[in-house]
Amino acid sequence: MTTTLKFETAGAANLEEAIVNAITEARTTCDLNGSNSAGCAVAWDIVEELQAEKAHQHQAKSKKTSLENYCDRRPGSVECLIYDL
């Protein structure tokens, strides 16, 4: 059995669903091929990569610069104005 996984990283719900599907597929692959098989290792590597991506997206979302924090509190200040040229 080959492990294939298709998902979109557009939203957290899609990524969470992809993780759940990957775990299910990894368990199935390991049950069929044995826990020491290459397919089992690959399937769990996919799960690990998806979980790492989820953690990365969460970390990237939560980091704001000090200017962004300042502008969130004071949107009308001169430093926060955006001009279209």
Coordinates of all heavy atoms in Angstrom, one line a residue:
M1 N 0.9 -1.2 0.0 CA 0.0 0.0 0.0 C 0.9 1.2 0.0 O 1.8 1.4 0.8 CB -0.9 0.0 1.2 CG -1.7 1.2 1.4 SD -2.7 1.2 2.9 CE -4.3 1.4 2.2
T2 N 0.6 2.1 -0.9 CA 1.4 3.4 -0.9 C 0.6 4.5 -0.2 O -0.6 4.5 -0.3 CB 1.7 3.8 -2.4 OG1 0.4 3.9 -3.1 CG2 2.6 2.9 -3.1
T3 N 1.3 5.3 0.4 CA 0.7 6.4 1.2 C 0.7 7.7 0.4 O 1.8 8.1 0.0 CB 1.5 6.6 2.5 OG1 1.6 5.4 3.2 CG2 0.8 7.7 3.4
T4 N -0.5 8.2 0.1 CA -0.6 9.4 -0.6 C -1.5 10.3 0.2 O -2.5 9.8 0.8 CB -1.2 9.2 -2.0 OG1 -2.4 8.6 -1.9 CG2 -0.2 8.4 -2.9
L5 N -1.3 11.6 0.1 CA -2.1 12.5 0.9 C -2.2 13.8 0.1 O -1.2 14.4 -0.3 CB -1.5 12.7 2.3 CG -2.3 13.6 3.2 CD1 -3.6 12.9 3.6 CD2 -1.5 13.8 4.5
K6 N -3.5 14.2 -0.1 CA -3.7 15.5 -0.7 C -4.4 16.4 0.2 O -5.4 16.0 0.8 CB -4.6 15.2 -2.0 CG -3.9 14.4 -3.0 CD -4.8 14.1 -4.2 CE -4.1 13.2 -5.1 NZ -5.0 12.7 -6.2
F7 N -3.9 17.6 0.4 CA -4.6 18.6 1.2 C -4.2 20.0 0.8 O -3.3 20.2 0.1 CB -4.2 18.4 2.7 CG -2.8 18.7 3.0 CD1 -2.5 20.0 3.6 CD2 -1.8 17.9 2.8 CE1 -1.2 20.3 3.9 CE2 -0.5 18.2 3.0 CZ -0.2 19.5 3.6
E8 N -5.0 20.9 1.3 CA -4.7 22.3 1.0 C -4.4 23.0 2.4 O -5.1 22.7 3.4 CB -5.9 23.0 0.4 CG -6.3 22.5 -1.0 CD -7.5 23.1 -1.5 OE1 -7.9 24.2 -1.0 OE2 -8.1 22.6 -2.5
T9 N -3.4 23.9 2.4 CA -3.1 24.5 3.6 C -3.8 25.8 3.8 O -3.3 26.7 4.6 CB -1.5 24.7 3.7 OG1 -1.1 25.5 2.6 CG2 -0.8 23.4 3.7
A10 N -4.9 26.1 3.1 CA -5.5 27.3 3.1 C -6.1 27.6 4.5 O -6.1 28.8 5.0 CB -6.6 27.4 2.1
G11 N -6.6 26.6 5.2 CA -7.2 26.9 6.5 C -6.8 25.9 7.5 O -6.4 24.8 7.2
A12 N -7.0 26.3 8.8 CA -6.7 25.4 9.9 C -7.6 24.1 9.9 O -7.1 23.0 10.2 CB -6.8 26.1 11.2
A13 N -8.8 24.3 9.5 CA -9.7 23.1 9.4 C -9.3 22.1 8.4 O -9.3 20.9 8.7 CB -11.1 23.6 9.1
N14 N -8.8 22.6 7.2 CA -8.3 21.6 6.2 C -7.1 20.9 6.7 O -6.9 19.7 6.5 CB -8.0 22.4 4.9 CG -9.2 22.8 4.2 OD1 -10.3 22.3 4.4 ND2 -9.0 23.8 3.4
L15 N -6.2 21.6 7.4 CA -5.0 21.0 7.9 C -5.3 20.1 9.0 O -4.7 19.0 9.1 CB -4.0 22.1 8.4 CG -2.6 21.7 8.7 CD1 -1.9 21.0 7.6 CD2 -1.7 22.9 9.1
E16 N -6.2 20.4 9.9 CA -6.6 19.5 11.0 C -7.2 18.2 10.4 O -6.9 17.1 10.9 CB -7.5 20.2 11.9 CG -7.9 19.4 13.2 CD -6.7 19.2 14.1 OE1 -5.8 20.1 14.2 OE2 -6.6 18.1 14.6
E17 N -8.0 18.4 9.4 CA -8.6 17.2 8.8 C -7.6 16.4 8.1 O -7.6 15.1 8.1 CB -9.7 17.7 7.7 CG -10.4 16.6 7.1 CD -11.4 17.1 6.1 OE1 -12.0 18.2 6.3 OE2 -11.7 16.4 5.1
A18 N -6.6 17.0 7.5 CA -5.5 16.3 6.8 C -4.7 15.5 7.8 O -4.3 14.3 7.6 CB -4.6 17.2 6.1
I19 N -4.5 16.1 9.0 CA -3.8 15.4 10.1 C -4.5 14.1 10.6 O -4.0 13.0 10.7 CB -3.5 16.3 11.3 CG1 -2.4 17.4 10.8 CG2 -3.0 15.5 12.5 CD1 -2.2 18.5 11.8
V20 N -5.8 14.3 10.8 CA -6.7 13.2 11.2 C -6.7 12.1 10.1 O -6.5 10.9 10.5 CB -8.1 13.7 11.5 CG1 -9.0 12.5 11.7 CG2 -8.1 14.6 12.7
N21 N -6.8 12.5 8.9 CA -6.8 11.5 7.8 C -5.4 10.8 7.7 O -5.4 9.6 7.4 CB -7.1 12.1 6.5 CG -8.5 12.6 6.4 OD1 -9.4 12.1 7.1 ND2 -8.8 13.5 5.5
A22 N -4.3 11.5 7.9 CA -3.0 11.0 7.8 C -2.8 10.0 8.9 O -2.1 8.9 8.7 CB -1.9 12.1 7.8
I23 N -3.3 10.3 10.1 CA -3.1 9.4 11.3 C -3.9 8.1 11.0 O -3.4 7.0 11.2 CB -3.6 10.0 12.6 CG1 -2.6 11.1 13.0 CG2 -3.8 9.0 13.7 CD1 -3.1 12.0 14.1
T24 N -5.1 8.2 10.5 CA -5.9 7.0 10.1 C -5.2 6.2 9.1 O -5.1 4.9 9.2 CB -7.3 7.4 9.6 OG1 -7.9 8.2 10.6 CG2 -8.1 6.2 9.3
E25 N -4.7 6.8 8.1 CA -4.0 6.1 7.0 C -2.7 5.5 7.5 O -2.3 4.4 7.1 CB -3.7 7.1 5.8 CG -3.1 6.4 4.6 CD -3.1 7.2 3.4 OE1 -3.8 8.2 3.3 OE2 -2.3 6.9 2.5
A26 N -2.0 6.2 8.4 CA -0.7 5.6 9.0 C -1.0 4.4 9.8 O -0.3 3.4 9.7 CB 0.0 6.7 9.8
R27 N -2.1 4.4 10.6 CA -2.5 3.2 11.3 C -2.8 2.1 10.4 O -2.4 0.9 10.7 CB -3.6 3.6 12.3 CG -3.2 4.4 13.4 CD -4.4 4.8 14.3 NE -3.9 5.6 15.5 CZ -4.6 6.4 16.1 NH1 -5.9 6.5 15.8 NH2 -4.2 7.1 17.1
T28 N -3.6 2.3 9.4 CA -4.0 1.3 8.4 C -2.7 0.7 7.7 O -2.6 -0.5 7.6 CB -5.0 1.9 7.4 OG1 -6.1 2.4 8.1 CG2 -5.4 0.8 6.4
T29 N -1.8 1.6 7.3 CA -0.6 1.1 6.6 C 0.2 0.3 7.5 O 0.7 -0.8 7.1 CB 0.2 2.3 6.1 OG1 -0.6 3.1 5.2 CG2 1.5 1.9 5.4
C30 N 0.4 0.7 8.8 CA 1.2 -0.1 9.7 C 0.5 -1.4 10.1 O 1.2 -2.4 10.2 CB 1.4 0.7 11.0 SG 2.5 2.2 10.7
D31 N -0.8 -1.5 10.1 CA -1.5 -2.7 10.4 C -1.3 -3.7 9.2 O -1.2 -4.9 9.4 CB -3.0 -2.5 10.6 CG -3.3 -1.9 12.0 OD1 -2.4 -1.9 12.9 OD2 -4.4 -1.3 12.1
L32 N -1.4 -3.2 8.0 CA -1.2 -4.0 6.8 C 0.2 -4.5 6.6 O 0.4 -5.6 6.2 CB -1.8 -3.3 5.6 CG -3.3 -3.1 5.6 CD1 -3.7 -2.2 4.4 CD2 -4.1 -4.4 5.6
N33 N 1.1 -3.5 6.7 CA 2.5 -3.8 6.3 C 3.4 -4.1 7.5 O 4.6 -4.5 7.3 CB 3.1 -2.6 5.5 CG 2.3 -2.3 4.3 OD1 1.7 -3.2 3.7 ND2 2.4 -1.1 3.8
G34 N 3.0 -4.0 8.7 CA 3.8 -4.2 9.8 C 4.4 -2.9 10.3 O 4.7 -2.0 9.6
S35 N 4.7 -2.8 11.6 CA 5.1 -1.6 12.2 C 6.6 -1.3 11.9 O 7.0 -0.1 12.1 CB 4.9 -1.6 13.7 OG 5.7 -2.7 14.3
N36 N 7.3 -2.2 11.4 CA 8.7 -2.0 11.0 C 8.9 -1.8 9.5 O 10.1 -1.7 9.0 CB 9.6 -3.1 11.5 CG 9.7 -3.2 13.0 OD1 9.6 -2.2 13.7 ND2 9.9 -4.4 13.5
S37 N 7.8 -1.7 8.8 CA 7.9 -1.5 7.3 C 8.3 -0.1 6.9 O 8.0 0.9 7.7 CB 6.6 -1.9 6.6 OG 5.6 -1.0 7.0
A38 N 8.8 0.1 5.7 CA 9.1 1.4 5.2 C 7.9 2.2 5.0 O 7.9 3.4 5.3 CB 9.9 1.3 3.9
G39 N 6.8 1.6 4.5 CA 5.5 2.3 4.3 C 5.0 2.9 5.6 O 4.4 4.0 5.6
C40 N 5.1 2.1 6.7 CA 4.7 2.6 8.0 C 5.5 3.8 8.4 O 4.9 4.8 8.9 CB 4.8 1.5 9.0 SG 4.2 1.9 10.7
A41 N 6.8 3.8 8.2 CA 7.6 4.9 8.6 C 7.3 6.1 7.8 O 7.2 7.3 8.3 CB 9.1 4.5 8.4
V42 N 7.1 5.9 6.5 CA 6.7 7.1 5.6 C 5.4 7.7 6.0 O 5.2 8.9 6.1 CB 6.7 6.6 4.1 CG1 6.0 7.7 3.3 CG2 8.1 6.3 3.7
A43 N 4.4 6.8 6.4 CA 3.1 7.3 6.8 C 3.2 8.2 8.0 O 2.6 9.2 8.1 CB 2.1 6.1 7.0
W44 N 4.0 7.7 9.0 CA 4.1 8.5 10.2 C 5.0 9.8 10.0 O 4.8 10.8 10.7 CB 4.7 7.7 11.4 CG 3.6 6.8 11.9 CD1 3.6 5.4 11.8 CD2 2.4 7.1 12.6 NE1 2.4 4.9 12.4 CE2 1.7 6.0 12.9 CE3 1.9 8.4 13.0 CZ2 0.5 6.0 13.5 CZ3 0.6 8.4 13.6 CH2 -0.1 7.2 13.9
D45 N 5.9 9.7 9.0 CA 6.6 10.9 8.7 C 5.7 12.0 8.1 O 5.8 13.2 8.4 CB 7.7 10.6 7.6 CG 8.9 10.0 8.3 OD1 9.1 10.0 9.5 OD2 9.7 9.4 7.5
I46 N 4.7 11.6 7.3 CA 3.7 12.5 6.8 C 2.9 13.1 7.9 O 2.7 14.4 7.9 CB 2.8 11.8 5.8 CG1 3.6 11.4 4.5 CG2 1.6 12.6 5.4 CD1 2.8 10.5 3.6
V47 N 2.5 12.3 8.9 CA 1.8 12.9 10.0 C 2.6 13.9 10.8 O 2.2 15.0 11.1 CB 1.4 11.7 11.0 CG1 0.8 12.3 12.3 CG2 0.4 10.8 10.4
E48 N 3.9 13.6 11.0 CA 4.8 14.5 11.7 C 5.0 15.8 10.9 O 5.0 16.9 11.5 CB 6.2 13.8 11.8 CG 7.2 14.6 12.7 CD 8.5 13.9 12.8 OE1 8.5 12.7 12.8 OE2 9.5 14.6 13.0
E49 N 5.1 15.7 9.6 CA 5.3 16.9 8.8 C 4.0 17.8 8.8 O 4.1 19.0 8.9 CB 5.6 16.6 7.3 CG 7.0 16.0 7.1 CD 8.1 17.0 7.4 OE1 7.9 18.2 7.2 OE2 9.1 16.6 7.9
L50 N 2.9 17.2 8.8 CA 1.6 18.0 8.9 C 1.5 18.6 10.2 O 1.1 19.8 10.3 CB 0.4 17.1 8.6 CG 0.2 16.6 7.2 CD1 -0.8 15.5 7.1 CD2 -0.1 17.7 6.2
Q51 N 1.8 17.9 11.3 CA 1.8 18.5 12.6 C 2.8 19.7 12.7 O 2.5 20.7 13.4 CB 2.0 17.5 13.7 CG 0.9 16.5 13.8 CD 1.1 15.4 14.7 OE1 2.3 15.0 15.0 NE2 0.1 14.8 15.3
A52 N 3.9 19.5 12.1 CA 4.9 20.6 12.2 C 4.4 21.8 11.4 O 4.6 23.0 11.8 CB 6.2 20.1 11.6
E53 N 3.8 21.6 10.3 CA 3.2 22.7 9.5 C 2.1 23.4 10.3 O 2.0 24.7 10.3 CB 2.6 22.2 8.2 CG 2.0 23.3 7.3 CD 2.9 24.4 6.9 OE1 4.1 24.2 6.8 OE2 2.4 25.5 6.6
K54 N 1.3 22.7 11.0 CA 0.3 23.3 11.8 C 0.9 24.2 12.9 O 0.5 25.3 13.1 CB -0.6 22.2 12.5 CG -1.7 22.8 13.3 CD -2.6 21.7 13.9 CE -3.6 22.3 14.9 NZ -4.3 21.2 15.6
A55 N 1.9 23.7 13.5 CA 2.6 24.4 14.6 C 3.3 25.7 14.0 O 3.2 26.8 14.6 CB 3.7 23.6 15.3
H56 N 3.8 25.5 12.8 CA 4.5 26.7 12.1 C 3.5 27.8 11.8 O 3.7 28.9 12.0 CB 5.2 26.2 10.9 CG 5.8 27.3 10.1 ND1 6.9 28.0 10.5 CD2 5.4 27.9 8.9 CE1 7.2 29.0 9.6 NE2 6.3 28.9 8.6
Q57 N 2.3 27.3 11.3 CA 1.3 28.3 10.9 C 0.8 29.0 12.2 O 0.5 30.2 12.2 CB 0.1 27.6 10.2 CG 0.4 27.3 8.8 CD -0.7 26.6 8.1 OE1 -1.8 26.5 8.6 NE2 -0.5 26.2 6.8
H58 N 0.6 28.3 13.3 CA 0.1 28.9 14.5 C 1.2 29.9 15.0 O 0.8 31.0 15.5 CB -0.1 27.8 15.6 CG -0.5 28.3 16.9 ND1 -1.8 28.9 17.1 CD2 0.1 28.4 18.1 CE1 -1.8 29.3 18.3 NE2 -0.7 29.0 19.0
Q59 N 2.4 29.5 14.9 CA 3.5 30.4 15.4 C 3.6 31.7 14.5 O 3.7 32.8 15.0 CB 4.8 29.7 15.4 CG 6.0 30.5 16.0 CD 7.3 29.7 16.0 OE1 7.4 28.8 15.2 NE2 8.2 30.1 16.9
A60 N 3.5 31.5 13.2 CA 3.5 32.7 12.3 C 2.4 33.6 12.5 O 2.5 34.8 12.4 CB 3.6 32.2 10.9
K61 N 1.2 33.1 12.9 CA 0.0 33.9 13.1 C 0.2 34.7 14.3 O -0.3 35.9 14.4 CB -1.2 33.0 13.2 CG -2.2 33.2 12.1 CD -3.5 32.5 12.4 CE -3.5 31.0 12.2 NZ -4.7 30.4 12.4
S62 N 0.8 34.2 15.4 CA 0.8 34.9 16.6 C 1.9 35.9 16.8 O 1.9 36.7 17.7 CB 0.9 33.8 17.8 OG 2.1 33.1 17.7
K63 N 2.9 35.9 15.9 CA 3.9 36.9 16.0 C 3.6 38.2 15.3 O 3.3 38.2 14.1 CB 5.2 36.3 15.3 CG 5.9 35.3 16.2 CD 7.2 35.0 15.6 CE 8.0 34.0 16.5 NZ 9.3 33.7 15.9
K64 N 3.6 39.3 16.0 CA 3.4 40.6 15.5 C 4.6 41.4 15.9 O 5.1 41.3 16.9 CB 2.1 41.2 16.1 CG 0.8 40.7 15.5 CD -0.3 41.5 15.9 CE -1.6 41.1 15.2 NZ -2.7 42.0 15.6
T65 N 4.9 42.4 15.0 CA 5.9 43.3 15.3 C 5.4 44.3 16.3 O 4.2 44.5 16.6 CB 6.4 44.1 14.1 OG1 5.3 44.9 13.6 CG2 6.9 43.1 13.0
S66 N 6.3 45.0 16.9 CA 5.9 46.1 17.9 C 5.1 47.2 17.2 O 4.2 47.7 17.8 CB 7.1 46.6 18.6 OG 8.1 47.1 17.7
L67 N 5.4 47.5 16.0 CA 4.7 48.5 15.2 C 3.2 48.0 15.0 O 2.3 48.8 15.1 CB 5.3 48.8 13.9 CG 4.6 49.8 13.0 CD1 4.5 51.2 13.7 CD2 5.3 50.0 11.7
E68 N 3.1 46.7 14.6 CA 1.7 46.2 14.5 C 0.9 46.2 15.8 O -0.3 46.6 15.7 CB 1.8 44.7 13.9 CG 2.3 44.6 12.5 CD 2.6 43.2 12.1 OE1 3.0 42.4 12.9 OE2 2.4 42.9 10.9
N69 N 1.6 45.9 16.8 CA 0.9 46.0 18.1 C 0.5 47.4 18.5 O -0.6 47.7 18.9 CB 1.8 45.4 19.3 CG 1.9 43.9 19.2 OD1 1.0 43.2 18.7 ND2 3.0 43.4 19.7
Y70 N 1.4 48.4 18.2 CA 1.1 49.8 18.4 C 0.0 50.3 17.6 O -1.0 50.9 18.0 CB 2.4 50.6 18.1 CG 2.2 52.1 18.2 CD1 2.4 52.7 19.5 CD2 2.0 52.9 17.1 CE1 2.2 54.1 19.6 CE2 1.8 54.3 17.2 CZ 1.9 54.9 18.5 OH 1.8 56.2 18.6
C71 N -0.1 49.9 16.3 CA -1.1 50.3 15.4 C -2.5 49.6 15.7 O -3.5 50.2 15.5 CB -0.7 50.0 13.9 SG 0.6 51.1 13.4
D72 N -2.4 48.4 16.3 CA -3.7 47.8 16.7 C -4.3 48.7 17.9 O -5.5 48.8 17.9 CB -3.4 46.4 17.2 CG -3.2 45.4 16.1 OD1 -3.5 45.8 14.9 OD2 -2.7 44.3 16.4
R73 N -3.5 49.2 18.7 CA -4.0 50.0 19.8 C -4.3 51.4 19.4 O -5.2 52.1 20.0 CB -2.9 50.0 21.0 CG -2.8 48.7 21.7 CD -1.9 48.8 22.9 NE -0.6 49.4 22.6 CZ 0.5 48.7 22.3 NH1 0.4 47.3 22.3 NH2 1.6 49.3 22.1
R74 N -3.6 52.0 18.4 CA -3.7 53.4 18.0 C -3.8 53.4 16.5 O -2.9 53.9 15.8 CB -2.5 54.2 18.5 CG -2.4 54.3 20.0 CD -1.1 54.9 20.4 NE -0.8 54.7 21.8 CZ -0.2 53.7 22.3 NH1 0.2 52.7 21.6 NH2 0.0 53.6 23.6
P75 N -4.9 53.0 15.9 CA -5.0 52.9 14.4 C -4.9 54.3 13.7 O -4.6 54.4 12.6 CB -6.3 52.2 14.1 CG -7.1 52.4 15.4 CD -6.1 52.5 16.5
G76 N -5.2 55.4 14.4 CA -5.3 56.7 13.8 C -4.0 57.4 13.9 O -3.8 58.5 13.3
S77 N -3.0 56.9 14.5 CA -1.7 57.6 14.7 C -1.0 57.7 13.3 O -1.2 56.9 12.4 CB -0.8 57.0 15.7 OG -0.4 55.7 15.3
V78 N -0.1 58.7 13.2 CA 0.6 59.0 12.0 C 1.4 57.8 11.5 O 1.5 57.5 10.3 CB 1.5 60.2 12.2 CG1 2.3 60.5 10.9 CG2 0.7 61.5 12.5
E79 N 2.1 57.1 12.4 CA 2.9 56.0 12.1 C 2.2 54.8 11.4 O 2.7 54.0 10.7 CB 3.6 55.4 13.3 CG 4.6 56.4 14.0 CD 3.9 57.2 15.0 OE1 2.7 57.3 15.1 OE2 4.6 57.9 15.8
C80 N 0.8 54.8 11.6 CA 0.0 53.7 11.2 C -0.8 54.0 9.9 O -1.4 53.1 9.4 CB -0.9 53.3 12.3 SG -0.1 52.8 13.8
L81 N -0.7 55.2 9.4 CA -1.4 55.6 8.2 C -0.8 55.0 7.0 O 0.5 54.9 6.9 CB -1.4 57.1 8.1 CG -2.2 57.9 9.2 CD1 -2.1 59.4 8.9 CD2 -3.6 57.4 9.2
I82 N -1.6 54.5 6.1 CA -1.1 53.9 4.8 C -1.6 54.8 3.7 O -2.8 55.0 3.6 CB -1.6 52.5 4.7 CG1 -1.1 51.6 5.8 CG2 -1.2 51.9 3.4 CD1 -1.7 50.2 5.9
Y83 N -0.7 55.1 2.8 CA -1.0 56.0 1.7 C -0.9 55.2 0.4 O 0.1 54.5 0.2 CB -0.1 57.2 1.6 CG -0.2 58.1 2.8 CD1 0.7 58.0 3.8 CD2 -1.2 59.1 2.9 CE1 0.6 58.9 4.9 CE2 -1.3 59.9 4.0 CZ -0.4 59.8 5.0 OH -0.5 60.6 6.1
D84 N -1.9 55.3 -0.5 CA -1.8 54.8 -1.8 C -1.3 55.8 -2.8 O -1.8 56.9 -2.8 CB -3.2 54.3 -2.3 CG -3.7 53.1 -1.5 OD1 -2.9 52.3 -1.1 OD2 -5.0 53.0 -1.4
L85 N -0.2 55.5 -3.5 CA 0.4 56.4 -4.4 C 0.0 56.1 -5.8 O -0.1 55.1 -6.2 CB 1.9 56.4 -4.3 CG 2.4 56.8 -2.9 CD1 3.9 56.7 -2.8 CD2 2.0 58.2 -2.5

